[in-house]
């Protein structure tokens, strides 16, 4: 009975809780000048909520069980979140040396400043993500993220640290050039992590028509289809605005996803260990292959599944 009652709450309340509740708390903490340790604690709580929601209302029960990837994913998340926190910490130094003009709207309400930062960062990150599927040297590093065989919240934090650094730099650099304040950057860092948890979540939540606007799990699963070309869709981090403009938006309400459709068809034996994944982009085997394009039969099968 308890499970029956909690599932509708998660289905329709989990996303508002994370987007408005957790992000709202991050905004309030950052605006008050609270210690960054509070933001770290908030992020850990968000990760805990992510795991809890996935277990109470899973999209695919199998994806809740580690497949020899649990420790690796923890390593990716720990390293990448540490890098994110470090990058926020050096923003004052960067701002003092590279700010072109202080055009930041300091007089705006703090929440509007964070929203502006999100929208600007979303463009830079989305375009870098798009380029990472088109430029071979970038794909070498981005391929780590696409090696996943199950789709759950921690997958969003599973990235090669060099690729994450590139994406975040593309998103934050324009903000620093116009005078991004440290407190806004701190709130932005939390919203990025929360978004990645939601975007890759195994929770079977619903957001209605907003799935055509917000870059959440219903749309992002299409991005992780294993066939070259078919998975080159829905690149947005926060919104799908740029995908609509780029012509890369894709959604089919009848599709059901399984582990067999995830990963990379061209690289089914991609390394799974953490250190091996860090090294793979520098090896000859980490090059971009074009043999992963689906056959006509695979396209038809994918459409039916």
């Amino acid at each position: 009975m308890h499970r029956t009652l909690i599932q509708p709450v998660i289905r329709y309340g989990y996303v508002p809780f994370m987007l408005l509740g957790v992000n709202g708390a991050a905004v309030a903490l950052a605006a008050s000048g609270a210690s960054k340790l509070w933001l770290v604690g908030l992020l850990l709580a968000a990760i805990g909520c992510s795991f809890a929601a996935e277990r109470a209302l899973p999209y695919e029960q199998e994806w809740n069980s580690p497949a020899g990837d649990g420790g690796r994913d923890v390593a990716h998340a720990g390293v990448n979140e540490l890098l994110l926190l470090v990058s926020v910490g050096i923003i004052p130094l960067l701002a003092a040396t590279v700010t072109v003009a202080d055009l930041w709207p300091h007089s705006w309400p703090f929440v509007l400043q964070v929203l502006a930062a999100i929208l600007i960062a979303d463009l830079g990150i989305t375009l870098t993500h798009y380029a990472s599927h088109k430029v071979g040297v970038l794909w070498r590093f981005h391929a780590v993220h696409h090696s996943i065989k199950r789709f759950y919240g921690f997958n969003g934090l599973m990235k090669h640290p060099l690729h994450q650094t590139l994406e975040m730099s593309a998103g934050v650099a324009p903000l620093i050039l116009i005078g991004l304040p440290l407190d806004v950057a701190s709130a932005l860092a939390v919203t990025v992590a929360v978004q990645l948890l939601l975007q890759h979540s195994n929770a079977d939540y619903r957001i209605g028509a907003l799935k055509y606007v917000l870059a959440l799990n219903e749309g992002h699963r299409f991005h992780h289809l294993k066939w070259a070309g078919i998975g080159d869709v829905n690149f947005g981090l926060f919104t799908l605005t740029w995908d609509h403009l780029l012509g890369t938006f894709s959604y089919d309400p009848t599709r059901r996803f399984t582990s067999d459709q995830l990963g990379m068809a061209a690289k089914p034996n991609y390394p799974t260990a953490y250190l091996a994944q860090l090294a793979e982009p520098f090896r000859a085997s980490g090059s971009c292959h074009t043999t992963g394009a689906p056959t006509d039969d695979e396209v038809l099968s994918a459409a039916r599944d």
Side-chain angles (χ1 to χ4, degrees):
M1 183 66 178
H2 174 69
R3 189 178 181 88
T4 303
L5 289 175
I6 198 66
Q7 285 183 337
V9 173
I10 295 173
R11 191 181 303 278
Y12 300 105
Y14 175 56
V15 171
F17 168 75
M18 294 288 273
L19 289 183
L20 301 178
V22 175
N23 285 344
V27 169
L29 288 169
S32 69
S35 168
K36 300 300 182 290
L37 291 177
W38 283 104
L39 293 176
V40 173
L42 181 64
L43 179 56
L44 292 175
I47 292 172
C49 290
S50 174
F51 277 106
E54 289 172 335
R55 275 145 186 77
L57 186 66
Y59 173 85
E60 179 64 56
Q61 185 66 51
E62 177 188 358
W63 292 347
N64 280 340
S65 301
D69 54 6
R72 177 204 68 193
D73 291 354
V74 170
H76 273 294
V79 169
N80 291 336
E81 286 309 300
L82 178 61
L83 286 174
L84 189 60
L85 292 173
V86 169
S87 67
V88 170
I90 65 174
I91 279 180
L93 175 61
L94 292 174
T97 56
V98 303
T99 296
V100 173
D102 190 1
L103 303 176
W104 191 259
H106 298 278
S107 62
W108 290 10
F110 188 78
V111 66
L112 291 184
Q113 293 185 48
V114 175
L115 286 174
I118 287 173
L119 292 176
I120 294 172
D122 189 43
L123 173 58
I125 293 171
T126 299
L127 292 180
T128 302
H129 192 181
Y130 177 82
S132 297
H133 281 244
K134 306 297 181 183
V135 180
V137 67
L138 297 181
W139 172 253
R140 280 177 172 264
F141 294 92
H142 186 49
V144 170
H145 181 65
H146 278 272
S147 67
I148 63 172
K149 296 295 180 66
R150 64 187 180 113
F151 200 86
Y152 75 118
F154 244 25
N155 288 154
L157 306 175
M158 184 196 147
K159 299 182 178 184
H160 196 287
L162 291 181
H163 192 268
Q164 170 167 293
T165 300
L166 176 64
E167 277 193 335
M168 289 305 300
S169 297
V172 176
L175 297 169
I176 294 176
L177 290 175
I178 60 173
L180 175 70
L182 177 59
D183 50 2
V184 176
S186 299
L188 176 63
V190 175
T191 64
V192 168
V194 168
Q195 188 67 19
L196 290 170
L197 288 171
L198 283 172
Q199 192 175 65
H200 296 81
S201 177
N202 186 33
D204 193 20
Y205 60 69
R206 297 287 186 275
I207 57 171
L210 287 175
K211 63 177 167 284
Y212 298 103
V213 180
L214 300 180
L216 296 175
N217 68 358
E218 287 185 82
H220 197 66
R221 292 188 188 110
F222 291 86
H223 182 74
H224 280 272
L225 287 169
K226 67 182 182 181
W227 298 286
I230 288 183
D232 294 338
V233 297
N234 300 350
F235 293 98
L237 174 60
F238 286 100
T239 77
L240 294 167
T241 302
W242 305 109
D243 285 289
H244 286 292
L245 293 175
L246 290 169
T248 56
F249 173 76
S250 178
Y251 183 74
D252 176 3
T254 66
R255 173 178 282 283
R256 178 76 189 178
F257 294 83
T258 66
S259 292
D260 290 338
Q261 300 171 351
L262 304 182
M264 293 178 286
K267 297 184 178 182
N269 298 315
Y270 197 86
T272 57
Y274 178 69
L275 292 179
Q277 289 192 338
L278 294 190
E280 184 65 12
F282 301 99
R283 295 173 174 155
S285 57
S287 63
C288 182
H289 296 300
T290 59
T291 58
T295 65
D296 291 341
D297 287 343
E298 285 177 324
V299 172
L300 291 173
S301 176
R304 289 193 298 267
D305 289 341

